[in-house]
């Protein structure tokens, strides 16, 4: 069996090589994306995997893959919005995904941001750069065991974050449209999101972006949030109206924010970017604020998560080749 890996990143190479060695299967690494110009490289392979940052919507790509006998594109991502699922199906190609790669990766960054902001680490650092090493009242902090953490979205990642916060000694409350049966003993559910907002010292968002969750934290309900609370968003940028959040951070009503995802993130995610490109976005302002930690969609980026993304995608191809059955199909 031979598998072609499109758009392989340097940080994935070890994972590809380990899987290939363990399985005794040839994996050929290609650093380019799957496009009309590169689809021909798939000729002679039994399966392909890719991690697209540009869409694969051109019919010609699916026509050619079908000609070469490729029946699956194994995406090394959870979301498969880069593909045209109907077109793929028309040409007998299943798009598969990696539904779960490491909830801990994301949950740990949420906890890490929350703890750094609770302890005013950025403020202390800035003062130290100016030669001020004094124990000033403005940087004295609470301890997490005296805090209530509100987890919004208690699925795989939210529940993992809840367990980590509880392990640190926090009281954890949660809100979700579906209650997770595994949350018993970890968190106490609130029936109303507003109750969670009013009671939490730290609010951590772990929801998908849908019509219902777009600007879940908005100009109206942000005022209900407890004075001095910290907001953490590792879910999706558009869960939060960022302009409203910036206003509340500037007024001091919200103490701090840990932001891994922003609505405008396609401008910069996994790229080298000239500062000019970001000048009309909220990024420069957020980076300058001592009460904000901004990470550009790095929450998933751990060795374990990358290893799981690569190996599950390759397993998806192998499984189909060996059994004729497709797992993790998205169309
Ligand atoms: P999940 O499906 O296991 O959990 C999501 C939870 O949100 C579910 O329990 C669901 O019932 C709940 N939910 C959905 N709509 C809701 C609503 N309107 N109100 C209240 N609750 C609602 O998903 P997950 O794997 O835990 O992922 C959570 C989020 O993390 C997703 O948005 C995902 O895109 C994001 N994520 C971010 C990164 C990153 O690197 N920053 C990486 C992976 C996932």
């Amino acid at each position: 069996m031979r598998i072609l890996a499109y758009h392989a990143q340097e940080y994935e190479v070890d994972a590809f090589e380990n899987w290939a060695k363990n399985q005794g299967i040839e994996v050929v690494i290609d650093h380019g994306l799957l496009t009309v110009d590169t689809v021909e490289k798939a000729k002679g392979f039994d399966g392909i995997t890719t991690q697209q940052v540009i869409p694969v919507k051109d019919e010609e790509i699916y026509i050619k893959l079908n000609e070469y006998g490729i029946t699956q594109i194994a995406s090394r991502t959870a979301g498969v919005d880069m593909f045209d699922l109907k077109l793929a199906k028309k040409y007998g190609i299943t798009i598969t995904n990696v539904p779960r790669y490491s909830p801990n990766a994301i949950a740990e960054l949420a906890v890490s941001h929350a703890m750094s902001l609770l302890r005013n680490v950025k403020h202390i650092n800035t003062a130290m750069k100016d030669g001020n090493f004094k124990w000033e009242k403005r940087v004295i902090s609470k301890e997490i065991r005296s805090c209530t953490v509100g987890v919004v979205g208690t699925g795989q990642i939210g529940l993992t974050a809840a367990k980590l916060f509880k392990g640190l000694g926090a009281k954890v409350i949660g809100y979700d449209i579906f209650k997770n049966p595994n949350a018993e003993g970890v968190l106490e559910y609130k029936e109303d999101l507003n109750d969670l907002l009013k009671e939490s010292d730290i609010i951590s968002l772990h929801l998908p972006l849908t019509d219902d969750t777009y600007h879940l934290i908005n100009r109206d309900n942000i005022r209900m949030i407890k004075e001095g609370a910290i907001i953490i968003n590792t879910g999706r940028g558009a869960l939060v109206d960022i302009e409203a959040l910036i206003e509340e951070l500037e007024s001091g009503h919200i103490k701090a924010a840990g932001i891994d995802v922003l609505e405008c993130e396609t401008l910069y995610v996994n790229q080298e970017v000239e500062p000019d490109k970001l000048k009309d976005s909220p990024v420069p302002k957020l980076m300058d604020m001592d009460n904000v930690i901004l990470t550009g969609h790095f929450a998933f980026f751990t060795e374990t998560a990358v290893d799981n993304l690569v190996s599950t995608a390759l397993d998806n191809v192998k499984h189909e080749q060996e059994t004729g059955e497709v797992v993790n199909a998205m169309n």
Side-chain angles (χ1 to χ4, degrees):
M1 190 187 312
R2 297 179 73 229
I3 301 173
L4 176 65
Y6 280 102
H7 206 217
Q9 309 289 304
E10 278 314 311
Y11 61 77
E12 293 178 307
V13 170
D14 285 351
F16 279 121
E17 288 178 354
N18 289 339
W19 187 90
K21 197 170 152 209
N22 292 338
Q23 303 292 334
I25 291 174
E26 187 186 354
V27 179
V28 174
I29 287 173
D30 190 281
H31 296 292
L33 289 154
L34 171 60
T35 66
V36 175
D37 297 329
T38 64
V39 64
E40 220 167 12
K41 291 181 183 177
K43 209 189 262 179
F45 285 90
D46 300 296
I48 62 170
T49 169
T50 187
Q51 180 222 53
Q52 291 295 123
V53 288
I54 57 162
V56 186
K57 307 262 158 142
D58 200 316
E59 190 161 4
E60 201 184 326
I61 296 175
Y62 298 103
I63 293 173
K64 288 227 165 114
L65 288 174
N66 172 276
E67 258 173 50
Y68 307 152
I70 300 288
T71 52
Q72 178 183 162
I73 303 176
S75 183
R76 301 192 301 283
T77 56
V80 292
D81 44 317
M82 289 290 159
F83 302 93
D84 188 321
L85 300 183
K86 281 197 189 128
L87 259 188
K89 200 173 181 137
K90 182 174 163 192
Y91 294 99
I93 296 164
T94 311
I95 309 293
T96 59
N97 78 333
V98 181
R100 178 189 168 99
Y101 42 90
S102 178
N104 294 62
I106 297 93
E108 283 182 15
L109 195 78
V111 173
S112 163
H113 280 3
M115 290 306 295
S116 298
L117 293 164
L118 186 69
R119 298 304 303 260
N120 302 307
V121 170
K122 225 173 147 185
H123 291 93
I124 294 170
N125 255 271
T126 302
M128 284 169 62
K129 278 186 200 151
D130 291 337
N132 179 1
F133 291 69
K134 286 169 71 182
W135 298 323
E136 288 181 348
K137 185 166 183 285
R138 70 184 180 95
V139 288
I140 196 167
S141 73
K142 287 184 185 163
E143 292 181 12
I144 187 78
R145 63 183 162 149
S146 65
C147 294
T148 297
V149 177
V151 173
V152 187
T154 57
Q156 301 180 73
I157 298 170
L159 184 59
T160 305
K163 287 179 183 167
L164 294 174
F165 280 118
K166 190 175 165 68
L168 290 169
K171 175 184 174 191
V172 186
I173 58 178
Y175 173 77
D176 199 304
I177 43 172
F178 298 110
K179 292 191 174 121
N180 188 334
N182 299 321
E184 213 183 307
V186 180
L187 57 84
E188 176 200 308
Y189 275 108
K190 295 284 158 188
E191 297 301 330
D192 189 332
L193 174 64
N194 290 343
D195 290 338
L196 179 144
L197 300 182
K198 284 178 202 158
E199 287 177 36
S200 303
D201 301 290
I202 297 169
I203 296 162
S204 195
L205 305 177
H206 301 284
L207 301 147
L209 181 63
T210 64
D211 289 346
D212 290 341
T213 61
Y214 178 80
H215 286 190
L216 187 86
I217 303 296
N218 52 57
R219 230 166 252 289
D220 295 329
N221 65 9
I222 203 164
R223 302 219 164 85
M224 285 181 202
I225 291 177
K226 188 172 176 179
E227 186 78 23
I230 295 171
I231 297 181
I232 307 294
N233 187 10
T234 57
R236 282 292 176 262
L239 296 176
V240 176
D241 176 345
I242 195 69
E243 295 307 329
L245 176 58
I246 289 172
E247 276 171 31
E248 299 302 308
L249 284 163
E250 285 178 331
S251 77
H253 166 213
I254 303 295
K255 171 186 162 72
I259 301 167
D260 189 56
V261 283
L262 277 178
E263 225 171 323
C264 67
E265 70 183 14
T266 49
L267 284 175
Y268 58 80
V269 165
N270 196 19
Q271 300 164 42
E272 279 189 40
V273 179
E274 294 296 327
D276 217 36
K277 190 175 175 193
L278 301 176
K279 70 178 183 348
D280 297 326
S281 80
V283 173
K285 180 168 226 165
L286 290 166
M287 296 229 270
D288 274 350
M289 295 170 84
D290 270 347
N291 55 350
V292 173
I293 299 178
L294 191 62
T295 43
H297 211 131
F298 279 80
F300 85 99
F301 198 51
T302 65
E303 290 172 357
T304 306
V306 168
D307 205 57
N308 289 342
L309 281 162
V310 167
S311 58
T312 307
L314 293 172
D315 285 345
N316 287 344
V317 176
K318 178 177 176 255
H319 190 82
E320 190 195 2
Q321 290 295 313
E322 288 181 348
T323 66
E325 280 170 17
V326 186
V327 284
N328 297 323
M330 300 300 281
N331 61 340

